[in-house]
């Protein structure tokens, strides 16, 4: 039974690294991260059931200490405390809906997986397993002999670095890395066709091998994202894999070129090296097609670190320098042929030069066509404000949120609420002025704002201590140790090199980890990135055997008799695990109903959306997002039924919508989305009964308190003041709106109408010439500065006799 549980845990970890990058589903509200997070939860539960069962069988607490115990414990404590004092307990526990990764439950899962990995990955048989996966008796390491000519030439000695169980878990580590590379290769194969207009995802969901299933703002022909869901996330994932694939390419190349010339030539390492080299190039090309600047910077810097350490360690070996030159020469060729995310570099690439010459040729041949200029690169990723400028505003807001909550932050994953409170007014002048930012687009500032100084410092302590430990291990020896291919044996004076160098792999792991830290600086982590963030250190400790391992019989698979009490406890353990999985599946199916209903809701098909939204809320009544969307649909249905004179049904829908909204703002008073929904509900009901306008105004006032610099919230508040008859406050608020966003055409238009209303009495007679002049001024301001052909403005000015 123990052997089965050990194998089950091992294969569950294989599934984790292989399946998570590939997982997505078309009928959920978020295709990618939601499904990856839920699968991670399920795998974590299964591993937990197996681990607990092992402890039940052995009657021992199986838990292995590592050098990161204290920083991890403090980091977990910071997340728990931040969740206790959060702006929103539900969000802090589960994560922001639409992101999920980063909530307390996800952090607990990653930490649990870390300890499950270092505590349970042992061999099924007693003894050491060498790099080829061959079990060997611990007291007889030298079971594989050298070729007979080596035996005759000199003495055979055992490498002391390989004595004992030092490499107990290395086969598993290599398996995990190879499985990761295979999964990454499938991700690339899935994503690369999208760059050329043939996205397999569209074929899977719509039956058409094109990119028509994506919106104009989400085009793989411009930026691929494959199964990761967003270009920057794909680039961050590929940045993790590139040093690992490069390690396998390098180790096999080194093995081939430093082979013993007295032996028959074996071309297998050379073929492997070429294969891994092509895989590395595939990853790099895919990362370029993401057009992710953070990913490109991360990859280049991590490769600089990779080669810098190798050249320092092996400065006398010319082969390493040659391989280094080949690596960066290949990168240069790829960038020249394919391009990069940076316009400054692209000026010197082949596509740019080709466009220049093509443009000149076209201009000469067809001077009258007007088509001589190449298409200009957009200012942002898909047009609009440059993403770097937007990030600066978001980072500024994050720092302001931290200064207001310096110790424990605003609460785990509550950045959306924090940013609305402290959002710089300058953000209103960007192309993404009305976007909801639920992440700081900088992992470290995100932790700082949401979990305070305590959270960030403990997080950084994990990263810095791990980097210190791996660097210490790498530089423990003066030069790179080459692990022999056969049983850790050296021929006197002439090692058999397999290319599997211990320090080189550690350098690759360090480089991958550095890539995570760099891409997280310009963005934020997602599920697969956090899995590697927490489990690369675990793989490191397994590889060098620095976890507190023992070789008790329960870990080595000896059969043990089980009592009825142990069997019962194991059954209860797996039943609890099954229950938790059923809860997750129920949540997942509820999300599918919510996604379908939300889609219909956005098409104003409220009667068709209602059953699905009601089903979602019934399946998962503790999820406020489902109730919020349901309340909006009920408010709209109340209006529709009232207009159809179905007053009883209209009253029922109205009552349900108001009660649900009351519940949400009572339980989640800091969620501005719920306040915005409340405005929509009461505004819809006000078309039937004007008394609801006052309630809409109250909701807008509360929303304005939560988002004082949001121009759209301020605009709605000004309009509602006007509709409630408070023209002076409407004018004041709309002027504040214009101060927040000087290019807000709708605010100028509303201000003009309010001034016009103030200028006339109830009979339409002009009583305030100054107000009339202001009304004309703001209307003409729109024509002169925004849209000279604005039909609504022209119509109003003509009716006022001003045109």
């Amino acid at each position: 039974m123990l052997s089965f549980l050990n194998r089950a845990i091992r294969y569950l970890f294989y599934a984790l690294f292989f399946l998570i990058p590939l997982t997505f589903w078309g009928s959920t509200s978020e295709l990618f991260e939601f499904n990856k997070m839920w699968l991670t939860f399920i795998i974590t539960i299964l591993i937990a059931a197996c681990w607990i069962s092992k402890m039940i069988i052995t009657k021992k607490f199986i838990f292995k200490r590592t050098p990161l115990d204290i920083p991890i414990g403090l980091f977990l404590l910071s997340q728990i405390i931040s969740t206790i004092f959060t702006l929103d307990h539900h969000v802090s526990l589960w994560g922001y809906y639409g992101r999920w990764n980063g909530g307390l439950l996800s952090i607990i899962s990653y930490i649990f997986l870390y300890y499950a990995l270092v505590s349970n990955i042992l061999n099924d048989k007693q003894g050491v397993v060498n790099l080829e996966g061959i079990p060997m008796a611990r007291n007889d390491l030298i079971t594989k002999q050298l070729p007979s000519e080596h035996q005759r030439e000199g003495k055979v000695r055992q490498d002391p670095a390989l004595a004992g169980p030092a490499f107990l878990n290395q086969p598993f580590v290599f398996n995990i890395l190879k499985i990761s590379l295979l999964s990454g290769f499938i991700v690339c194969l899935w994503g690369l066709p999208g760059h050329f207009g043939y996205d397999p995802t569209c074929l899977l969901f719509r039956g058409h091998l094109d990119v028509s299933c994506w919106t104009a703002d989400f085009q793989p022909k411009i930026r691929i994202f494959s199964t990761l869901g967003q270009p920057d996330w794909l680039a961050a994932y590929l940045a993790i894999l590139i040093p690992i694939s490069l390690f396998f390419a390098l180790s096999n190349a080194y093995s081939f070129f430093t082979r013993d010339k007295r032996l028959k030539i074996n071309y297998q390492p050379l073929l492997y090296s070429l294969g891994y080299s092509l895989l590395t190039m595939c990853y790099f090309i895919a990362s370029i097609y993401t057009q992710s600047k953070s990913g490109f910077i991360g990859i280049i810097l991590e490769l600089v670190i990779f080669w810098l350490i190798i050249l320092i360690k092996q400065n006398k070996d010319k082969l390493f320098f040659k391989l280094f030159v080949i690596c960066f020469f290949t990168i240069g060729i790829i960038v020249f042929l394919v391009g990069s995310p940076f316009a400054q570099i692209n000026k010197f690439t082949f596509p740019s030069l080709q466009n220049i010459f093509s443009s000149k040729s076209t201009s000469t041949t067809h001077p009258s066509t007007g088509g001589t200029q190449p298409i200009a690169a957009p200012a942002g990723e898909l047009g609009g404000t440059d993403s770097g400028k937007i990030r600066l505003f978001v980072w500024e807001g994050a720092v302001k949120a931290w200064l207001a909550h310096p110790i424990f932050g605003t609460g785990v994953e509550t950045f959306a609420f924090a940013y609305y409170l402290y959002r710089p007014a300058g953000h209103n002048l960007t192309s993404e002025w009305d976007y909801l930012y639920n992440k700081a687009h900088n992992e470290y500032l995100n932790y700082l704002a949401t979990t305070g100084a305590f959270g960030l410092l403990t997080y950084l302590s994990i990263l810095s201590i791990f980097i210190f430990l791996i660097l210490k291990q790498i530089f423990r020896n003066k030069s790179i140790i080459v692990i022999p291919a056969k049983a850790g044996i050296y021929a006197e004076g002439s090692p058999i090199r397999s290319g599997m160098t211990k320090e080189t792999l550690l350098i690759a792991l360090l480089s991958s980890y550095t890539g995570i830290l760099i891409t997280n600086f310009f963005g934020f982590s997602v599920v697969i990135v956090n899995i590697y963030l927490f489990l690369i250190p675990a793989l490191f400790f397994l590889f060098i055997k620095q976890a507190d391992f023992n070789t008790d019989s329960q870990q080595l698979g000896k059969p043990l008799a089980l009592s009825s009490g142990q069997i019962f406890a194991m059954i209860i353990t797996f039943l609890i695990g099954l229950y938790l999985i059923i809860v997750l599946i129920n949540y997942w199916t509820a999300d599918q109903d919510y996604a379908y209903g939300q889609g219909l809701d956005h098409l104003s098909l409220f009667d068709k959306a209602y059953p699905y939204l009601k089903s979602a809320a019934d399946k998962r009544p503790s999820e406020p997002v489902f109730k919020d969307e349901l309340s909006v649909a009920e408010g709209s249905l109340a209006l529709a039924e009232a207009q159809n004179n179905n007053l009883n049904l209209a009253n029922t829908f109205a009552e349900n919508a108001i009660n649900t909204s009351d519940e949400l703002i009572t339980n989640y008073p800091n969620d501005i989305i719920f306040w915005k929904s409340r405005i929509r509900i009461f505004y819809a009901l006000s078309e039937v009964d004007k008394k609801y306008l006052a309630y809409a105004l109250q909701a807008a006032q509360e929303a304005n308190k939560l988002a004082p610099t949001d121009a759209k919230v301020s605009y709605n508040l000004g309009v509602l003041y006007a509709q409630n008859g408070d023209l002076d406050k409407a004018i004041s608020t709309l002027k504040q709106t214009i101060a927040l966003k000087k290019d807000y055409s709708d605010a100028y238009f509303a201000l003009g109408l309010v001034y016009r209303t103030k200028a006339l009495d109830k009979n339409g007679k002009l009583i305030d010439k100054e107000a009339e002049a202001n009304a004309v001024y703001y209307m003409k301001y729109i024509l002169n500065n925004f849209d000279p052909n604005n039909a609504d403005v022209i119509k109003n000015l003509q009716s006022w006799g001003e045109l």
Side-chain angles (χ1 to χ4, degrees):
M1 188 63 181
L2 277 173
S3 178
F4 168 78
L5 292 173
N6 281 329
R7 285 197 298 272
I9 292 174
R10 184 186 299 262
Y11 283 102
L12 284 168
F13 273 110
Y14 289 157
L16 182 75
F17 283 92
F18 181 76
L19 293 177
I20 298 303
L22 300 173
T23 300
F24 65 99
W25 197 262
S27 58
T28 50
S29 61
E30 200 279 342
L31 278 66
F32 304 96
E33 282 293 281
F34 177 63
N35 298 289
K36 296 180 193 298
M37 191 74 259
W38 254 235
L39 182 57
T40 300
F41 282 149
I42 290 173
I43 292 175
T44 302
I45 291 169
L46 293 174
I47 291 174
C50 293
W51 190 3
I52 293 171
S53 296
K54 286 178 61 178
M55 289 188 274
I56 292 171
I57 292 173
T58 60
K59 299 180 182 179
K60 293 183 179 180
F61 183 67
I62 302 174
F63 182 84
K64 306 304 175 185
R65 302 280 311 270
T66 72
L68 292 179
D69 291 348
I70 293 176
I72 287 177
L74 290 173
F75 173 67
L76 179 59
L77 179 63
S78 74
Q79 304 302 291
I80 293 173
I81 294 175
S82 180
T83 299
I84 293 172
F85 297 104
T86 182
L87 294 175
D88 191 304
H89 290 92
H90 182 81
V91 167
S92 290
L93 184 65
W94 286 95
Y96 194 87
Y97 207 91
R99 295 296 186 201
W100 295 281
N101 172 67
L104 181 61
L105 289 178
S106 70
I107 296 297
I108 291 174
S109 296
Y110 300 136
I111 293 175
F112 177 87
L113 289 170
Y114 168 84
Y115 281 106
L117 191 61
V118 298
S119 299
N120 291 281
I121 300 303
L122 298 168
N123 295 292
D124 295 332
K125 296 182 180 181
Q126 184 172 359
V128 177
V129 177
N130 68 9
L131 291 177
E132 295 180 335
I134 304 172
M136 304 168 61
R138 183 170 291 117
N139 58 358
D140 185 21
L141 278 173
I142 308 177
T143 58
K144 287 283 184 177
Q145 296 296 318
L146 293 169
S148 58
E149 59 268 26
H150 283 257
Q151 296 183 41
R152 289 192 298 268
E153 285 186 9
K155 296 179 181 180
V156 174
R157 67 178 176 86
Q158 179 182 328
D159 178 10
L162 301 180
F167 298 96
L168 189 65
N169 298 289
Q170 288 182 353
F172 172 81
V173 173
F174 285 117
N175 288 342
I176 283 290
L177 297 181
K178 290 178 180 178
I179 286 171
S180 297
L181 296 181
L182 175 60
S183 183
F185 181 54
I186 297 174
V187 168
C188 284
L189 291 181
W190 192 272
L192 284 171
H195 177 75
F196 303 98
Y198 306 100
D199 193 341
T201 303
C202 292
L203 177 64
L204 181 65
F205 293 147
R206 298 289 178 85
H208 302 287
L209 188 58
D210 52 27
V211 294
S212 61
C213 62
W214 303 112
T215 64
D217 294 332
F218 206 60
Q219 275 296 318
K221 289 181 70 174
I222 300 174
R223 302 184 68 193
I224 69 169
F225 44 83
S226 188
T227 60
L228 272 293
Q230 207 267 4
D232 291 316
W233 303 348
L234 174 58
Y237 170 63
L238 296 175
I240 298 171
L241 299 181
I242 283 176
I244 297 171
S245 60
L246 182 60
F247 156 72
F248 282 106
L250 175 64
S251 61
N252 281 282
Y254 190 84
S255 175
F256 178 79
F257 290 111
T258 60
R259 68 188 182 277
D260 193 323
K261 299 302 189 291
R262 293 167 293 183
L263 301 179
K264 183 180 178 181
I265 297 178
N266 179 10
Y267 289 100
Q268 188 178 47
L270 180 60
L271 294 177
Y272 280 141
S273 179
L274 291 174
Y276 283 114
S277 298
L278 290 174
L279 184 61
T280 306
M281 288 188 281
C282 177
Y283 292 156
F284 185 63
I285 292 172
S287 71
I288 291 176
Y289 285 153
T290 67
Q291 288 297 295
S292 170
K293 295 179 181 179
S294 61
F296 188 81
I297 292 172
I299 290 169
I300 296 301
L301 291 182
E302 72 182 5
L303 289 180
V304 168
I305 292 171
F306 179 86
W307 282 108
L308 181 64
I309 297 176
I310 286 181
L311 294 176
I312 291 174
K313 292 282 293 181
Q314 203 73 8
N315 57 1
K316 295 182 181 180
D317 195 325
K318 294 181 180 179
L319 177 58
F320 280 101
F321 182 77
K322 292 177 181 178
L323 294 173
F324 157 74
V325 172
I326 292 173
C327 176
F328 275 92
F329 179 76
T330 304
I331 289 175
I333 292 296
I334 292 174
V335 170
F336 176 74
L337 293 176
V338 178
S340 80
F342 291 91
Q344 298 89 335
I345 298 176
N346 289 340
K347 294 177 182 179
F348 308 100
T349 61
F350 178 74
S352 179
L353 296 175
Q354 188 180 38
N355 283 338
I356 292 174
F357 288 115
S358 175
S359 175
K360 290 180 179 179
S361 175
T362 305
S363 178
T364 302
T365 308
H366 305 285
S368 63
T369 61
T372 62
Q373 295 297 322
I375 298 175
E381 292 168 349
L382 290 171
T385 309
D386 180 74
S387 60
K389 182 177 180 180
I390 298 174
R391 274 188 175 87
L392 291 178
F393 286 123
V394 179
W395 293 353
E396 181 185 343
V399 173
K400 288 181 178 179
W402 168 64
L403 291 174
H405 305 268
I407 307 301
F408 301 119
T410 59
V412 173
E413 282 303 282
T414 58
F415 185 78
F417 313 137
Y419 188 62
Y420 268 117
L421 277 168
Y422 305 104
R423 183 175 181 264
H427 198 159
N428 291 307
L429 300 178
T430 69
S431 59
E432 298 183 4
W433 68 278
D434 57 346
Y435 284 24
L436 188 152
Y437 276 80
N438 46 42
K439 293 279 190 178
H441 288 262
N442 180 303
E443 189 79 347
Y444 313 104
L445 289 178
N446 199 78
Y447 274 117
L448 185 66
T450 59
T451 62
F454 187 30
L456 177 62
L457 291 176
T458 54
Y459 178 74
L460 292 177
S461 69
I462 297 174
L463 309 182
S464 56
I465 291 174
F466 170 65
I467 291 174
F468 169 77
L469 291 172
I470 195 170
L471 283 172
K472 180 180 177 182
Q473 185 70 27
I474 290 171
F475 287 100
R476 186 180 64 175
N477 303 294
K478 292 183 178 179
S479 62
I480 290 177
I481 297 175
V482 181
I483 299 174
K486 303 294 183 181
I489 301 172
Y490 280 104
E492 190 70 31
S494 178
I496 298 176
R497 298 182 174 102
S498 72
M500 292 293 190
T501 59
K502 179 179 178 181
E503 280 86 354
T504 308
L505 177 58
L506 299 186
I507 294 169
L509 291 178
L510 172 64
S511 301
S512 293
Y513 207 74
T514 304
I516 295 175
L517 305 187
I518 294 170
T519 54
N520 275 353
F521 181 85
F522 297 101
F524 52 89
S525 63
V526 290
V527 176
I528 189 60
V529 172
N530 257 353
I531 287 174
Y532 280 101
L533 183 77
F534 282 89
L535 296 191
I536 283 179
L539 295 174
F540 165 70
F541 292 131
L542 286 177
F543 187 77
I544 67 169
K545 193 190 171 293
Q546 278 198 6
D548 179 27
F549 290 108
N550 60 53
T551 54
D552 293 339
S553 61
Q554 82 274 7
Q555 298 169 353
L556 299 176
K558 290 186 178 181
L560 299 173
L562 300 178
S563 67
S564 58
Q566 288 174 302
I567 295 174
F568 179 75
M570 289 176 61
I571 292 174
I572 294 298
T573 298
F574 278 97
L575 285 177
I576 293 174
L578 178 61
Y579 169 75
L580 294 176
I581 291 174
I582 290 174
V583 169
L584 289 173
I585 293 175
N586 182 67
Y587 204 150
W588 185 71
T589 58
D591 176 83
Q592 290 180 297
D593 290 339
Y594 162 72
Y596 194 74
Q598 184 187 45
L600 294 171
D601 217 0
H602 291 173
L603 295 174
S604 298
L605 302 174
F606 303 110
D607 56 333
K608 294 181 179 179
Y610 176 75
Y612 294 98
L613 297 173
K614 186 70 167 59
S615 174
D618 290 342
K619 287 180 180 178
R620 187 69 183 175
S622 61
E623 179 48 63
V625 170
F626 298 166
K627 290 185 176 181
D628 178 61
E629 193 69 29
L630 176 63
S631 67
V632 172
E634 288 173 330
S636 299
L637 284 173
L639 171 61
E641 296 298 338
Q643 291 172 340
N644 293 328
N645 292 320
N646 297 324
L647 298 183
N648 290 334
L649 191 56
N651 289 334
T652 300
F653 279 127
E655 184 178 352
N656 289 341
I658 294 171
N659 289 340
T660 302
S661 180
D662 288 344
E663 176 190 342
L664 290 175
I665 64 169
T666 299
N667 295 330
Y668 312 99
N670 295 305
D671 194 325
I672 190 174
I673 301 301
F674 298 160
W675 286 104
K676 288 182 175 182
S677 296
R678 189 174 178 85
I679 297 171
R680 291 175 60 190
I681 291 168
F682 283 121
Y683 193 80
L685 295 177
S686 70
E687 295 190 34
V688 178
D689 190 337
K690 295 299 181 182
K691 73 177 183 180
Y692 289 114
L693 276 175
Y695 296 105
L697 176 60
Q698 291 174 2
Q701 289 170 332
E702 292 298 322
N704 187 245
K705 292 177 184 178
L706 294 174
T709 62
D710 189 299
K712 183 167 285 187
V713 171
S714 179
Y715 167 78
N716 288 329
L717 178 60
V719 170
L720 284 167
Y721 271 130
Q723 293 187 351
N724 277 273
D726 196 336
L727 299 183
D728 290 334
K729 283 190 176 180
I731 291 171
S732 174
T733 304
L734 289 171
K735 284 184 176 180
Q736 291 175 10
T737 304
I738 292 172
L740 290 172
K741 183 173 174 61
K742 296 179 180 180
D743 58 350
Y744 201 171
S745 176
D746 288 348
Y748 286 94
F749 185 78
L751 189 55
L753 292 180
V754 173
Y755 267 120
R756 174 67 177 176
T757 302
K758 186 179 180 181
L760 305 176
D761 63 11
K762 294 180 179 179
N763 299 319
K765 183 178 179 181
L766 180 65
I767 58 174
D768 190 333
K769 292 184 178 180
E770 183 180 357
E772 175 73 3
N774 285 330
V776 173
Y777 168 78
Y778 284 110
M779 288 297 180
K780 289 187 175 181
Y781 189 90
I782 296 173
L783 297 179
N784 294 331
N785 294 276
F786 302 128
D787 182 7
N789 299 312
N790 190 304
D792 291 329
V793 172
I794 294 173
K795 180 180 178 181
N796 277 284
L797 288 175
Q798 287 176 341
S799 67
W800 301 347
E802 297 294 334
L803 278 182

